[in-house]
Amino acid sequence: MVDTREIVIRPLRLTDKAEWRRMWTAYLEFYETTVSGNVYTTTFARLTGDDPQDFSGLVAQRGEDLVGLAHYLFHRHAWKVENVCYLQDLYTDPEVRGTGVGRQLIEAVYAAADRAGAPSVYWLTQEFNARARHLYDRVGTLSPFIRYNRP
């Protein structure tokens, strides 16, 4: 069992690129998708850049090892004056799942949203993602919305 007091949640750094790529690749594999090398390069640059309209990245660190990541961004919303926060990607290594690391990452995104004055944080997951949904049911509220994609 991982002692969550050993976990530090911090911003993604340029020096984290290899470990970030390892984790994001595992995340994408779970969702049965891949992206090009150009997408990896562009996404990492956005996550580590300073444009407030780009993504932000957090990592969970245990000792010298990275064991989780979260990608989020702020955007305008037609029903609110303030921006809202979209938590796009959340991943933890299999050996730390169920230990509170995912919750710590979500709570760190909540804290970033609070600091930015964003009144809401939302995310999506696939219906079959039962393990993550067990956490999400404790830290969020299930929405009745159904998502459609352009064919």
Side-chain angles (χ1 to χ4, degrees):
M1 185 69 138
V2 172
D3 182 349
T4 56
R5 292 174 298 182
E6 298 175 1
I7 302 296
V8 173
I9 306 298
R10 63 166 175 79
L12 181 66
R13 299 178 189 146
L14 291 173
T15 56
D16 298 328
K17 188 172 187 176
E19 277 298 283
W20 167 84
R21 186 177 178 125
R22 175 192 63 79
M23 291 187 295
W24 200 44
T25 298
Y27 172 84
L28 294 170
E29 287 171 352
F30 176 81
Y31 285 110
E32 300 176 350
T33 194
T34 60
V35 297
S36 70
N38 186 44
V39 172
Y40 275 104
T41 301
T42 301
T43 299
F44 190 76
R46 288 175 176 166
L47 287 164
T48 55
D50 58 4
D51 183 341
Q53 294 303 309
D54 264 342
F55 290 91
S56 294
L58 297 172
V59 291
Q61 183 173 345
R62 180 179 64 190
E64 298 299 314
D65 301 322
L66 298 186
V67 296
L69 63 77
H71 302 158
Y72 64 96
L73 72 117
F74 298 103
H75 67 86
R76 297 187 191 283
H77 193 288
W79 299 357
K80 298 179 182 357
V81 173
E82 308 87 359
N83 282 347
V84 297
C85 181
Y86 175 48
L87 171 55
Q88 182 167 18
D89 303 326
L90 179 72
Y91 172 83
T92 61
D93 283 337
E95 68 270 11
V96 299
R97 291 185 186 149
T99 66
V101 174
R103 176 187 286 268
Q104 285 181 289
L105 284 162
I106 291 170
E107 289 174 351
V109 172
Y110 285 174
D114 290 345
R115 285 190 303 276
S120 65
V121 176
Y122 71 99
W123 62 94
L124 306 169
T125 195
Q126 291 188 334
E127 188 174 26
F128 67 77
N129 194 357
R131 187 150 193 190
R133 290 185 68 193
H134 182 71
L135 167 63
Y136 301 161
D137 288 342
R138 293 191 317 260
V139 299
T141 303
L142 180 63
S143 162
F145 282 90
I146 298 170
R147 178 183 163 171
Y148 288 87
N149 291 324
R150 179 181 177 178

